[in-house]
Amino acid sequence: LLRDCALTHWRSPEKNRIRATTRTMANRTDIPRVLSIQSHVVHGYVGNKCAVFPLQLLGLEVDPVYSVQFSNHTGYPSFKGAVFDGQHLNSLLEGLEANRITNYTHLLTGYIGSASLLKQIADVSKKLRSWNKDFTYVCDPVMGDEGRLYVQPDIVEGFRQHIVPLASVIVPNQYEAELLTEGSISSVDEGFGAAAKLHERGPHTVIITSMLLADRPDEVLLLASTTRPQAGGPEQQQLVMSIPRINAYFTGTGDLLAALLLARLHHHQDHMTQAVDRAVAGLQAVLIDTATQCGPAALAAERTSEVCNARELRLIQNQDALRDPQVKLHCVTREQYRQQQAR
């Protein structure tokens, strides 16, 4: 079995295509460059620790900027570190400008620890777009999950007013989409309604990365919506994916998925279905392996240091799957999903 898997992996057209693309880009100066502004931890995998390595595996250069730097993620019994403000980011950007090394094709943002940093990110986005008309801003508006808010209310308002209009792609979870649109989402139609509201305010692509519906407790839904033309026709602009729930607790899954979506959307610009399929496949491979390896800690209620450490995402061990995942779950169009549910 291992030999068969190795042969399949070696011959994968997707892996060969990414390698060929990366080799071609390496011979030019236009290799994609991502400025990634997110949290950072010394130990474990959240924020930039979840984003940089997968993006590099998929052929993108990454320059990370830390919104916070903690010893470990905040789910542990304790953590130490610092939260950085807008002046910190401004100082770093001034250094990059002074040396004329600001040729970024993408901006990726995740958890932002202060309102001043959020405002500065808005300024950075405007500046980067003025330098590169093809610039893409992928925003993961990390604010909370399942009804629990992680940030101060002024940050929520800052995302609504300053960030959403600037984002090219936005990847909220269900609760974050509700916060951004100031409405509730309890169905697929309401999810696409929220996506339409966000489209009107700026982003051409909206991916609600996880939706939990009361009548479907064993699955997570992902909704993807874009105003950009798709190779498969207009029906491919609204997609639904049903993902079986994994019985485990993880930290950093949203950060990893946002990075994978950025890379896959870059490689499959008019094939959103392929981009989402491959991004989710890479994430699922990491989650399933991590849940398997951490054993009883996967569902442990008590968050001891030992439990949290056992649940850290296994990125290095699954780098082949991140680069060239086995796709088992596929998007369907909104209409196909409606027909499936009507049966």
Side-chain angles (χ1 to χ4, degrees):
L1 177 60
L2 287 176
R3 183 170 62 246
D4 291 342
C5 288
L7 286 171
T8 301
H9 176 79
W10 176 253
R11 294 171 180 169
S12 165
E14 172 66 10
K15 182 177 180 181
N16 291 339
R17 190 186 65 77
I18 289 177
R19 282 182 168 176
T21 301
T22 303
R23 283 196 300 268
T24 301
M25 291 188 300
N27 294 325
R28 304 197 308 260
T29 59
D30 61 348
I31 185 169
R33 288 188 63 210
V34 182
L35 183 65
S36 180
I37 306 173
Q38 303 192 57
S39 60
H40 174 77
V41 289
V42 176
H43 174 80
Y45 291 95
V46 297
N48 266 325
K49 285 287 287 288
C50 269
V52 174
F53 180 61
L55 286 169
Q56 290 172 330
L57 281 176
L58 294 173
L60 290 83
E61 291 276 12
V62 190
D63 290 348
V65 174
Y66 305 153
S67 58
V68 305
Q69 182 166 16
F70 292 156
S71 55
N72 43 267
H73 72 67
T74 57
Y76 280 77
S78 65
F79 66 94
K80 298 290 184 180
V83 176
F84 301 120
D85 59 16
Q87 182 55 42
H88 169 76
L89 175 58
N90 188 57
S91 176
L92 294 175
L93 194 65
E94 286 179 353
L96 295 171
E97 283 187 86
N99 290 289
R100 299 182 181 179
I101 46 176
T102 54
N103 56 324
Y104 293 104
T105 58
H106 296 75
L107 172 65
L108 173 63
T109 61
Y111 175 77
I112 306 301
S114 71
S116 68
L117 180 57
L118 196 66
K119 292 177 182 177
Q120 188 62 37
I121 286 172
D123 292 339
V124 168
S125 175
K126 293 174 185 177
K127 186 172 290 189
L128 293 178
R129 192 176 299 280
S130 73
W131 294 334
N132 180 0
K133 63 180 179 63
D134 297 321
F135 165 79
T136 298
Y137 175 14
V138 177
C139 172
D140 180 7
V142 180
M143 296 181 288
D145 197 11
E146 297 186 26
R148 186 164 69 93
L149 194 65
Y150 301 155
V151 298
Q152 295 299 315
D154 59 343
I155 290 181
V156 177
E157 189 61 25
F159 271 112
R160 288 193 197 118
Q161 297 298 322
H162 304 297
I163 299 300
V164 170
L166 298 173
S168 313
V169 179
I170 194 163
V171 292
N173 60 34
Q174 179 178 3
Y175 179 55
E176 290 160 348
E178 291 175 332
L179 289 172
L180 292 174
T181 59
E182 299 180 87
S184 63
I185 300 173
S186 58
S187 68
V188 168
D189 286 342
E190 288 178 352
F192 280 115
K197 291 179 181 178
L198 291 170
H199 285 316
E200 290 174 359
R201 298 178 59 193
H204 59 67
T205 299
V206 177
I207 299 177
I208 301 178
T209 56
S210 59
M211 277 183 52
L212 302 175
L213 301 182
D215 61 342
R216 310 186 74 82
D218 297 325
E219 67 181 23
V220 175
L221 293 182
L222 178 150
L223 306 187
S225 177
T226 186
T227 60
R228 289 198 156 182
Q230 297 295 293
E235 65 275 10
Q236 296 294 324
Q237 291 178 310
Q238 292 189 321
L239 305 172
V240 183
M241 178 182 283
S242 176
I243 306 168
R245 294 189 72 170
I246 298 173
N247 291 320
Y249 299 110
F250 300 110
T251 304
T253 55
D255 305 324
L256 175 57
L257 181 57
L260 292 173
L261 285 168
L262 184 156
R264 295 301 183 181
L265 287 168
H266 173 76
H267 289 304
H268 303 281
Q269 295 185 20
D270 60 351
H271 288 86
M272 184 169 68
T273 182
Q274 293 184 31
V276 173
D277 286 355
R278 293 185 184 282
V280 171
L283 173 67
Q284 288 294 98
V286 172
L287 297 186
I288 291 170
D289 180 60
T290 301
T292 300
Q293 294 300 320
C294 70
L299 285 169
E302 187 178 5
R303 287 197 166 193
T304 64
S305 295
E306 292 76 17
V307 166
C308 290
N309 189 44
R311 292 176 182 167
E312 294 286 4
L313 299 180
R314 290 166 54 87
L315 297 191
I316 306 302
Q317 297 88 338
N318 289 281
Q319 59 186 282
D320 288 344
L322 288 171
R323 185 187 294 111
D324 186 29
Q326 182 179 358
V327 177
K328 299 178 180 179
L329 303 173
H330 296 274
C331 293
V332 297
T333 67
R334 182 181 181 180
E335 177 60 22
Q336 287 172 331
Y337 181 80
R338 186 192 65 77
Q339 292 175 0
Q340 289 174 0
Q341 301 311 300
R343 291 172 187 167

